[in-house]
Structures are given as C-alpha cells and as structure tokens.
C-alpha cells in the first residue's frame, strides 16, 4: 500500500511528496510484529538502491504468504534530486543527509527531515542504501560508527556484504539519517555499494538476498532465504588510501575485491598527449581493494583506491 510520508508545497502549484510502500503481513498482527525499513534515494545521483527496492517488492509480492512482519520501502527520500539527477535537493542547494534530525517548526527541508525520521522511529531495523559518486566504485559494504559497533556489527554480518567498515566516531556526521536513528535506539545500517548514476545489478541482487536473510533471522520472513557470505570487518586491519601524485588519466590494473601485495601496482596515471606514464600508483600494504577509481580523469591528490590492510602479527598480539 503506497502511503504519503510527507508533502510540502513548491512554486508553480507543485508539491514534493515522499512516499513509502507499506507492506502488511497477511497473517495475524500483534504488538510484537516486527518492522523493517528499506531507505534509498537520499542523494539524487545514487541509483543503486532503486533496483533493490524493485527486486525486494517483486520477491515479496510473489511469496506474500511468507511475510510475517511489516516492510516499509522508501524508494526516494529526495525525489526532486532523482528527477533532476542532482545529488542534493534542487532549489534548496542542500544535502538531504545533512539536515537530520530536522525540526517540525523549521524550514522546509528541516520539516521534511523531521517527518521522515518520525515515520521510521521505532522500527526494528532500518537499512539506508547509498551508492558512491560517479568517481568511485564501492564493493558492497556496511559503514558503522564505532560508538554503535557492538550493537550493529552482528546485524551487518547478516546482509551479505563483502566488508563492514567501522568508522572512527570523529568521522561520522551527526546530521545524517543513520546517526539520528541510532541515537534514538532505532538500529540503522548504512550500505554503500556501486557507483553513482548507475545500477550494478549483481550488487543489488546480493544485497536483496542479504535483506531476506536478515528478515528471516528477525522473524519477519519465513520463506526461503539464501545463505550469506561472511564479511571482513575493518577492525581486522587498517584502511590504506592510494592517492594520485599527478594529473592525467588513471588506468587501473586491479579489480574490486582483489588481493594486492605491498608495492604491487594499482594502476598508472598516463598522459594521452605524449604517451608518458606520469605516475605508477602502488599499494602501501598487503590487503584487499574495496574502493577503486571509476572516473579516469584525475588530479594530484585524487583518491584512486582504498585498501583494507591485512592484520599484522603485532596487531593480533595487542589486547
């Protein structure tokens, strides 16, 4: 059932509406019936979650009798951004994920944020799906604030991602949807995968399999659910960054999720006009590539790759 979460007036007699598909189980509903929320479209240039919403709806519709809890699917928190292919909210020039928790008495965007947050509060799980920008491709991963590590990592292990990145609390913005929900006791996992303005079908399918697995673990689904992979946790090693040392065209020589050795090439920055190799980018650690440059034009300092370094013997001995 399509429901309107919030609607606000716009110029020229138009309205911005944020909707959700509220899917109700066909069996008995009690006060203990659980609810999961799937959220995407916060940034208008991140489209990977659109396929996830479609596929999740399709599978549930085919086997509705197996649904034992509520599923709320929010396909577009920033519908104007998706319509105009812009990351933020057009006209307001704001990042939707920088105005939470919002306030009902505030400006338009703050009011919208407050209504969205109130609608999700109290859910048993929220999965906030993002893609990368057009410059980088991300391996399917969950990103977690270290303040909520013990609480959220067990859930993150259930949703079939390759990697769980536990962030330092100093790098987490308090104005995001995930931080606001987690701070109120509503568990929220942030999924990052793929590349901006594109849909990577295999990543979407991988995540949907994981969502069904998690729903089964939570008692929301009693049908078949695929087995999930065991993700690497970032606390098993440190994240290393590879940046461009020159401007030019980046040509990678590794793939996503490929293991690399310290000193091994990641790719080269080349000059098309002269045929020169301006810089050979190498890994500083033994590890696995989980972020890789997608857009080839780079400038000095541009991020080329992120590598999860293998845990050293010294780290293993530390308490």
């Amino acid at each position: 059932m399509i429901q309107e979460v919030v609607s606000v007036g716009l110029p020229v007699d138009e309205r911005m509406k944020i909707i959700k598909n509220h899917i109700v189980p066909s069996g008995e509903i009690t006060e203990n019936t659980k609810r999961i929320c799937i959220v995407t479209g916060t940034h208008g240039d991140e489209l990977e979650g659109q396929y996830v919403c479609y596929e999740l709806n399709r599978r549930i519709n085919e086997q509705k009798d197996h649904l034992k809890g509520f599923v709320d699917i929010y396909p577009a928190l920033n519908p104007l951004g998706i319509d105009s292919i812009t990351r933020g909210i057009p006209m307001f020039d704001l990042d939707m994920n920088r105005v939470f928790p919002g306030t009902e008495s505030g400006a338009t965007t703050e009011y919208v944020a407050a209504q969205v947050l109130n609608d999700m509060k109290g859910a048993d799980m929220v999965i906030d799906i993002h893609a990368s920008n057009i410059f980088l491709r991300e391996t399917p991963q969950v990103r977690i604030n270290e303040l909520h590590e013990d609480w959220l990592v067990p859930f993150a292990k259930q949703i079939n991602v390759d990697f769980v990145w536990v962030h330092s609390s100093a790098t987490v913005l308090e104005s995001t949807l995930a931080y606001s929900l987690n701070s109120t006791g509503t568990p929220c996992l942030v999924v990052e995968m793929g590349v901006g303005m594109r849909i990577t079908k295999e990543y979407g399918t991988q995540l949907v399999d994981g969502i069904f697995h998690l729903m089964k673990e939570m008692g929301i689904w009693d049908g078949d659910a695929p087995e999930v992979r065991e993700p690497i946790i970032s606390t098993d090693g440190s994240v290393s960054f590879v940046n461009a040392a020159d401007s030019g065209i980046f040509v990678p020589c590794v793939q996503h999720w490929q293991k690399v050795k310290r000193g091994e090439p990641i790719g080269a920055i080349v000059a098309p006009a002269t045929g020169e190799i301006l810089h050979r980018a190498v890994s500083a650690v033994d590890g696995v590539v989980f972020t890789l440059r997608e857009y080839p034009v780079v400038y000095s300092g541009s991020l080329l790759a992120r590598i999860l370094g293998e845990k050293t013997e010294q780290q293993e001995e530390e308490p």
Side-chain angles (χ1 to χ4, degrees), residues 56-219:
L56 186 61
N57 271 308
R58 185 189 68 80
R59 293 193 199 181
I60 290 174
N61 289 336
E62 287 184 351
Q63 305 180 65
K64 186 71 178 294
D65 290 345
H66 291 295
L67 187 64
K68 303 303 176 185
F70 298 104
V71 178
D72 283 340
I73 299 176
Y74 303 74
L77 288 197
N78 179 10
L80 299 180
I82 289 179
D83 288 346
S84 59
I85 324 175
T86 55
R87 180 175 180 80
I89 305 174
M91 299 181 295
F92 300 99
D93 194 28
L94 281 174
D95 185 330
M96 181 71 179
N97 211 28
R98 299 293 182 271
V99 293
F100 290 99
T103 172
E104 294 188 0
S105 59
T108 300
T109 52
E110 294 175 306
Y111 171 76
V112 169
Q115 294 299 315
V116 167
L117 191 69
N118 288 336
D119 198 69
M120 296 178 194
K121 277 183 183 177
D124 297 280
M125 175 55 62
V126 177
I127 299 177
D128 182 17
I129 304 170
H130 292 262
S132 186
N133 52 38
I134 64 170
F135 302 104
L136 302 167
R137 181 178 292 275
E138 299 282 359
T139 295
Q141 61 197 260
V142 172
R143 298 185 178 181
I144 293 173
N145 183 340
E146 66 179 3
L147 297 174
H148 305 124
E149 177 182 356
D150 293 341
W151 180 32
L152 295 179
V153 166
F155 292 114
K157 289 181 177 180
Q158 302 293 325
I159 63 169
N160 207 31
V161 294
D162 298 309
F163 176 48
V164 178
W165 190 357
V166 181
H167 276 278
S168 164
S169 58
T171 65
V172 176
L173 296 173
E174 297 182 5
S175 54
T176 62
L177 173 64
Y179 186 93
S180 298
L181 285 169
N182 286 324
S183 297
T184 64
T186 300
C188 180
L189 297 176
V190 177
V191 174
E192 188 98 10
M193 65 181 189
V195 64
M197 297 190 185
R198 298 290 182 271
I199 287 177
T200 312
K201 186 177 178 181
E202 59 268 31
Y203 287 173
T205 300
Q206 177 181 334
L207 181 59
V208 172
D209 287 347
I211 292 172
F212 274 98
H213 181 89
L214 178 60
M215 289 199 301
K216 188 161 187 175
E217 291 291 314
M218 295 175 65

